[in-house]
Amino acid sequence: MSDQAPQTAVCWNEIPVSDMNKAVEFYNTVFKWTLTIDDTGPNPMAWLGGDMNTAGGHLYPGKPAAGGNGPTVHIVVPDKVEEAAARCTAAGGTVLSEAIEIPPGRFIYAIDPDGNSLGLFEPAQAT
């Protein structure tokens, strides 16, 4: 194992939410997950994507940055970004942009109901 961590690696995200049940419902709706709340630790958590054994993150009870001013967490959507954006709006989030094209794919900026900044990310199709 190398003595140095990769310079561009992000290995974990923690998204603070004011109401775990409502946040789990929002993230399950937008990303088509089946998050559940894990109460076995010192604080309740819901593992993003449902698996703690991969790079990812979790929701936890905390104080979100006001008005989407915290870090933006980009999360891969299971379909087109426009479909995820529609689910985001229907679930109480706010869509802030049209789809933005970049070489690795497309994304839309959004804010969850707590004000956390999100990127709804659709990877480019391999050719």
Side-chain angles (χ1 to χ4, degrees), residues 58-74:
H58 65 262
L59 305 176
Y60 71 98
K63 183 177 179 184
N69 290 320
T72 300
V73 177
H74 290 261

mmCIF file with all atom_site columns, all heavy atoms in Angstrom, residues 58-74:
data_model
loop_
_atom_site.group_PDB
_atom_site.id
_atom_site.type_symbol
_atom_site.label_atom_id
_atom_site.label_alt_id
_atom_site.label_comp_id
_atom_site.label_asym_id
_atom_site.label_entity_id
_atom_site.label_seq_id
_atom_site.pdbx_PDB_ins_code
_atom_site.Cartn_x
_atom_site.Cartn_y
_atom_site.Cartn_z
_atom_site.occupancy
_atom_site.B_iso_or_equiv
_atom_site.pdbx_formal_charge
_atom_site.auth_seq_id
_atom_site.auth_comp_id
_atom_site.auth_asym_id
_atom_site.auth_atom_id
_atom_site.pdbx_PDB_model_num
ATOM 1   N N   . HIS A 1 58 ? -23.377 9.010  3.751  1.00 0.00 ? 58 HIS A N   1
ATOM 2   C CA  . HIS A 1 58 ? -24.622 8.769  4.467  1.00 0.00 ? 58 HIS A CA  1
ATOM 3   C C   . HIS A 1 58 ? -25.304 10.086 4.821  1.00 0.00 ? 58 HIS A C   1
ATOM 4   O O   . HIS A 1 58 ? -24.705 11.152 4.795  1.00 0.00 ? 58 HIS A O   1
ATOM 5   C CB  . HIS A 1 58 ? -24.379 7.935  5.732  1.00 0.00 ? 58 HIS A CB  1
ATOM 6   C CG  . HIS A 1 58 ? -23.537 8.607  6.776  1.00 0.00 ? 58 HIS A CG  1
ATOM 7   N ND1 . HIS A 1 58 ? -22.205 8.378  6.919  1.00 0.00 ? 58 HIS A ND1 1
ATOM 8   C CD2 . HIS A 1 58 ? -23.851 9.522  7.734  1.00 0.00 ? 58 HIS A CD2 1
ATOM 9   C CE1 . HIS A 1 58 ? -21.721 9.096  7.918  1.00 0.00 ? 58 HIS A CE1 1
ATOM 10  N NE2 . HIS A 1 58 ? -22.710 9.811  8.427  1.00 0.00 ? 58 HIS A NE2 1
ATOM 11  N N   . LEU A 1 59 ? -26.584 9.957  5.126  1.00 0.00 ? 59 LEU A N   1
ATOM 12  C CA  . LEU A 1 59 ? -27.362 11.048 5.701  1.00 0.00 ? 59 LEU A CA  1
ATOM 13  C C   . LEU A 1 59 ? -27.247 10.920 7.213  1.00 0.00 ? 59 LEU A C   1
ATOM 14  O O   . LEU A 1 59 ? -27.162 9.808  7.734  1.00 0.00 ? 59 LEU A O   1
ATOM 15  C CB  . LEU A 1 59 ? -28.837 10.923 5.313  1.00 0.00 ? 59 LEU A CB  1
ATOM 16  C CG  . LEU A 1 59 ? -29.177 10.821 3.837  1.00 0.00 ? 59 LEU A CG  1
ATOM 17  C CD1 . LEU A 1 59 ? -30.679 10.604 3.660  1.00 0.00 ? 59 LEU A CD1 1
ATOM 18  C CD2 . LEU A 1 59 ? -28.717 12.042 3.089  1.00 0.00 ? 59 LEU A CD2 1
ATOM 19  N N   . TYR A 1 60 ? -27.262 12.046 7.905  1.00 0.00 ? 60 TYR A N   1
ATOM 20  C CA  . TYR A 1 60 ? -27.220 11.995 9.362  1.00 0.00 ? 60 TYR A CA  1
ATOM 21  C C   . TYR A 1 60 ? -27.950 13.219 9.919  1.00 0.00 ? 60 TYR A C   1
ATOM 22  O O   . TYR A 1 60 ? -28.065 14.236 9.232  1.00 0.00 ? 60 TYR A O   1
ATOM 23  C CB  . TYR A 1 60 ? -25.778 11.947 9.886  1.00 0.00 ? 60 TYR A CB  1
ATOM 24  C CG  . TYR A 1 60 ? -25.029 13.251 9.726  1.00 0.00 ? 60 TYR A CG  1
ATOM 25  C CD1 . TYR A 1 60 ? -24.912 14.145 10.790 1.00 0.00 ? 60 TYR A CD1 1
ATOM 26  C CD2 . TYR A 1 60 ? -24.457 13.604 8.514  1.00 0.00 ? 60 TYR A CD2 1
ATOM 27  C CE1 . TYR A 1 60 ? -24.234 15.347 10.644 1.00 0.00 ? 60 TYR A CE1 1
ATOM 28  C CE2 . TYR A 1 60 ? -23.777 14.804 8.357  1.00 0.00 ? 60 TYR A CE2 1
ATOM 29  C CZ  . TYR A 1 60 ? -23.675 15.668 9.425  1.00 0.00 ? 60 TYR A CZ  1
ATOM 30  O OH  . TYR A 1 60 ? -23.004 16.856 9.273  1.00 0.00 ? 60 TYR A OH  1
ATOM 31  N N   . PRO A 1 61 ? -28.452 13.147 11.147 1.00 0.00 ? 61 PRO A N   1
ATOM 32  C CA  . PRO A 1 61 ? -29.103 14.302 11.743 1.00 0.00 ? 61 PRO A CA  1
ATOM 33  C C   . PRO A 1 61 ? -28.066 15.404 11.973 1.00 0.00 ? 61 PRO A C   1
ATOM 34  O O   . PRO A 1 61 ? -27.059 15.184 12.638 1.00 0.00 ? 61 PRO A O   1
ATOM 35  C CB  . PRO A 1 61 ? -29.646 13.795 13.070 1.00 0.00 ? 61 PRO A CB  1
ATOM 36  C CG  . PRO A 1 61 ? -29.582 12.315 13.009 1.00 0.00 ? 61 PRO A CG  1
ATOM 37  C CD  . PRO A 1 61 ? -28.514 11.982 12.029 1.00 0.00 ? 61 PRO A CD  1
ATOM 38  N N   . GLY A 1 62 ? -28.286 16.541 11.386 1.00 0.00 ? 62 GLY A N   1
ATOM 39  C CA  . GLY A 1 62 ? -27.337 17.631 11.532 1.00 0.00 ? 62 GLY A CA  1
ATOM 40  C C   . GLY A 1 62 ? -27.920 18.929 11.013 1.00 0.00 ? 62 GLY A C   1
ATOM 41  O O   . GLY A 1 62 ? -29.091 18.996 10.643 1.00 0.00 ? 62 GLY A O   1
ATOM 42  N N   . LYS A 1 63 ? -27.084 19.948 10.948 1.00 0.00 ? 63 LYS A N   1
ATOM 43  C CA  . LYS A 1 63 ? -27.527 21.258 10.503 1.00 0.00 ? 63 LYS A CA  1
ATOM 44  C C   . LYS A 1 63 ? -26.956 21.532 9.107  1.00 0.00 ? 63 LYS A C   1
ATOM 45  O O   . LYS A 1 63 ? -25.758 21.780 8.964  1.00 0.00 ? 63 LYS A O   1
ATOM 46  C CB  . LYS A 1 63 ? -27.064 22.338 11.482 1.00 0.00 ? 63 LYS A CB  1
ATOM 47  C CG  . LYS A 1 63 ? -27.566 23.717 11.115 1.00 0.00 ? 63 LYS A CG  1
ATOM 48  C CD  . LYS A 1 63 ? -27.145 24.740 12.136 1.00 0.00 ? 63 LYS A CD  1
ATOM 49  C CE  . LYS A 1 63 ? -27.674 26.114 11.692 1.00 0.00 ? 63 LYS A CE  1
ATOM 50  N NZ  . LYS A 1 63 ? -27.235 27.167 12.578 1.00 0.00 ? 63 LYS A NZ  1
ATOM 51  N N   . PRO A 1 64 ? -27.817 21.513 8.077  1.00 0.00 ? 64 PRO A N   1
ATOM 52  C CA  . PRO A 1 64 ? -27.354 21.791 6.720  1.00 0.00 ? 64 PRO A CA  1
ATOM 53  C C   . PRO A 1 64 ? -26.900 23.245 6.568  1.00 0.00 ? 64 PRO A C   1
ATOM 54  O O   . PRO A 1 64 ? -27.354 24.125 7.298  1.00 0.00 ? 64 PRO A O   1
ATOM 55  C CB  . PRO A 1 64 ? -28.582 21.531 5.856  1.00 0.00 ? 64 PRO A CB  1
ATOM 56  C CG  . PRO A 1 64 ? -29.484 20.687 6.698  1.00 0.00 ? 64 PRO A CG  1
ATOM 57  C CD  . PRO A 1 64 ? -29.207 21.102 8.112  1.00 0.00 ? 64 PRO A CD  1
ATOM 58  N N   . ALA A 1 65 ? -26.001 23.480 5.621  1.00 0.00 ? 65 ALA A N   1
ATOM 59  C CA  . ALA A 1 65 ? -25.605 24.852 5.287  1.00 0.00 ? 65 ALA A CA  1
ATOM 60  C C   . ALA A 1 65 ? -26.828 25.574 4.723  1.00 0.00 ? 65 ALA A C   1
ATOM 61  O O   . ALA A 1 65 ? -27.656 24.975 4.039  1.00 0.00 ? 65 ALA A O   1
ATOM 62  C CB  . ALA A 1 65 ? -24.481 24.847 4.261  1.00 0.00 ? 65 ALA A CB  1
ATOM 63  N N   . ALA A 1 66 ? -26.964 26.834 5.026  1.00 0.00 ? 66 ALA A N   1
ATOM 64  C CA  . ALA A 1 66 ? -28.133 27.599 4.591  1.00 0.00 ? 66 ALA A CA  1
ATOM 65  C C   . ALA A 1 66 ? -28.121 27.834 3.080  1.00 0.00 ? 66 ALA A C   1
ATOM 66  O O   . ALA A 1 66 ? -27.080 28.139 2.498  1.00 0.00 ? 66 ALA A O   1
ATOM 67  C CB  . ALA A 1 66 ? -28.164 28.942 5.318  1.00 0.00 ? 66 ALA A CB  1
ATOM 68  N N   . GLY A 1 67 ? -29.274 27.658 2.463  1.00 0.00 ? 67 GLY A N   1
ATOM 69  C CA  . GLY A 1 67 ? -29.488 28.053 1.072  1.00 0.00 ? 67 GLY A CA  1
ATOM 70  C C   . GLY A 1 67 ? -28.593 27.413 0.043  1.00 0.00 ? 67 GLY A C   1
ATOM 71  O O   . GLY A 1 67 ? -28.260 28.030 -0.962 1.00 0.00 ? 67 GLY A O   1
ATOM 72  N N   . GLY A 1 68 ? -28.178 26.164 0.246  1.00 0.00 ? 68 GLY A N   1
ATOM 73  C CA  . GLY A 1 68 ? -27.357 25.492 -0.746 1.00 0.00 ? 68 GLY A CA  1
ATOM 74  C C   . GLY A 1 68 ? -25.930 25.982 -0.791 1.00 0.00 ? 68 GLY A C   1
ATOM 75  O O   . GLY A 1 68 ? -25.238 25.791 -1.788 1.00 0.00 ? 68 GLY A O   1
ATOM 76  N N   . ASN A 1 69 ? -25.460 26.624 0.273  1.00 0.00 ? 69 ASN A N   1
ATOM 77  C CA  . ASN A 1 69 ? -24.116 27.201 0.285  1.00 0.00 ? 69 ASN A CA  1
ATOM 78  C C   . ASN A 1 69 ? -23.024 26.237 0.744  1.00 0.00 ? 69 ASN A C   1
ATOM 79  O O   . ASN A 1 69 ? -21.869 26.616 0.805  1.00 0.00 ? 69 ASN A O   1
ATOM 80  C CB  . ASN A 1 69 ? -24.083 28.456 1.163  1.00 0.00 ? 69 ASN A CB  1
ATOM 81  C CG  . ASN A 1 69 ? -24.847 29.585 0.521  1.00 0.00 ? 69 ASN A CG  1
ATOM 82  O OD1 . ASN A 1 69 ? -24.772 29.789 -0.680 1.00 0.00 ? 69 ASN A OD1 1
ATOM 83  N ND2 . ASN A 1 69 ? -25.608 30.315 1.313  1.00 0.00 ? 69 ASN A ND2 1
ATOM 84  N N   . GLY A 1 70 ? -23.370 25.007 1.066  1.00 0.00 ? 70 GLY A N   1
ATOM 85  C CA  . GLY A 1 70 ? -22.361 24.025 1.456  1.00 0.00 ? 70 GLY A CA  1
ATOM 86  C C   . GLY A 1 70 ? -21.762 23.366 0.224  1.00 0.00 ? 70 GLY A C   1
ATOM 87  O O   . GLY A 1 70 ? -22.042 23.756 -0.911 1.00 0.00 ? 70 GLY A O   1
ATOM 88  N N   . PRO A 1 71 ? -20.940 22.353 0.432  1.00 0.00 ? 71 PRO A N   1
ATOM 89  C CA  . PRO A 1 71 ? -20.372 21.627 -0.710 1.00 0.00 ? 71 PRO A CA  1
ATOM 90  C C   . PRO A 1 71 ? -21.478 20.998 -1.552 1.00 0.00 ? 71 PRO A C   1
ATOM 91  O O   . PRO A 1 71 ? -22.556 20.682 -1.042 1.00 0.00 ? 71 PRO A O   1
ATOM 92  C CB  . PRO A 1 71 ? -19.527 20.532 -0.055 1.00 0.00 ? 71 PRO A CB  1
ATOM 93  C CG  . PRO A 1 71 ? -19.310 20.990 1.347  1.00 0.00 ? 71 PRO A CG  1
ATOM 94  C CD  . PRO A 1 71 ? -20.482 21.837 1.708  1.00 0.00 ? 71 PRO A CD  1
ATOM 95  N N   . THR A 1 72 ? -21.212 20.820 -2.822 1.00 0.00 ? 72 THR A N   1
ATOM 96  C CA  . THR A 1 72 ? -22.162 20.152 -3.713 1.00 0.00 ? 72 THR A CA  1
ATOM 97  C C   . THR A 1 72 ? -21.759 18.689 -3.837 1.00 0.00 ? 72 THR A C   1
ATOM 98  O O   . THR A 1 72 ? -20.633 18.383 -4.220 1.00 0.00 ? 72 THR A O   1
ATOM 99  C CB  . THR A 1 72 ? -22.172 20.802 -5.107 1.00 0.00 ? 72 THR A CB  1
ATOM 100 O OG1 . THR A 1 72 ? -22.539 22.171 -4.967 1.00 0.00 ? 72 THR A OG1 1
ATOM 101 C CG2 . THR A 1 72 ? -23.153 20.098 -6.039 1.00 0.00 ? 72 THR A CG2 1
ATOM 102 N N   . VAL A 1 73 ? -22.673 17.796 -3.507 1.00 0.00 ? 73 VAL A N   1
ATOM 103 C CA  . VAL A 1 73 ? -22.445 16.365 -3.642 1.00 0.00 ? 73 VAL A CA  1
ATOM 104 C C   . VAL A 1 73 ? -23.112 15.925 -4.944 1.00 0.00 ? 73 VAL A C   1
ATOM 105 O O   . VAL A 1 73 ? -24.326 16.062 -5.093 1.00 0.00 ? 73 VAL A O   1
ATOM 106 C CB  . VAL A 1 73 ? -23.030 15.593 -2.439 1.00 0.00 ? 73 VAL A CB  1
ATOM 107 C CG1 . VAL A 1 73 ? -22.855 14.101 -2.620 1.00 0.00 ? 73 VAL A CG1 1
ATOM 108 C CG2 . VAL A 1 73 ? -22.391 16.066 -1.136 1.00 0.00 ? 73 VAL A CG2 1
ATOM 109 N N   . HIS A 1 74 ? -22.325 15.428 -5.885 1.00 0.00 ? 74 HIS A N   1
ATOM 110 C CA  . HIS A 1 74 ? -22.861 14.915 -7.154 1.00 0.00 ? 74 HIS A CA  1
ATOM 111 C C   . HIS A 1 74 ? -23.124 13.426 -6.992 1.00 0.00 ? 74 HIS A C   1
ATOM 112 O O   . HIS A 1 74 ? -22.239 12.676 -6.580 1.00 0.00 ? 74 HIS A O   1
ATOM 113 C CB  . HIS A 1 74 ? -21.871 15.167 -8.297 1.00 0.00 ? 74 HIS A CB  1
ATOM 114 C CG  . HIS A 1 74 ? -21.748 16.607 -8.657 1.00 0.00 ? 74 HIS A CG  1
ATOM 115 N ND1 . HIS A 1 74 ? -22.405 17.167 -9.726 1.00 0.00 ? 74 HIS A ND1 1
ATOM 116 C CD2 . HIS A 1 74 ? -21.072 17.614 -8.062 1.00 0.00 ? 74 HIS A CD2 1
ATOM 117 C CE1 . HIS A 1 74 ? -22.122 18.458 -9.789 1.00 0.00 ? 74 HIS A CE1 1
ATOM 118 N NE2 . HIS A 1 74 ? -21.314 18.751 -8.784 1.00 0.00 ? 74 HIS A NE2 1
#
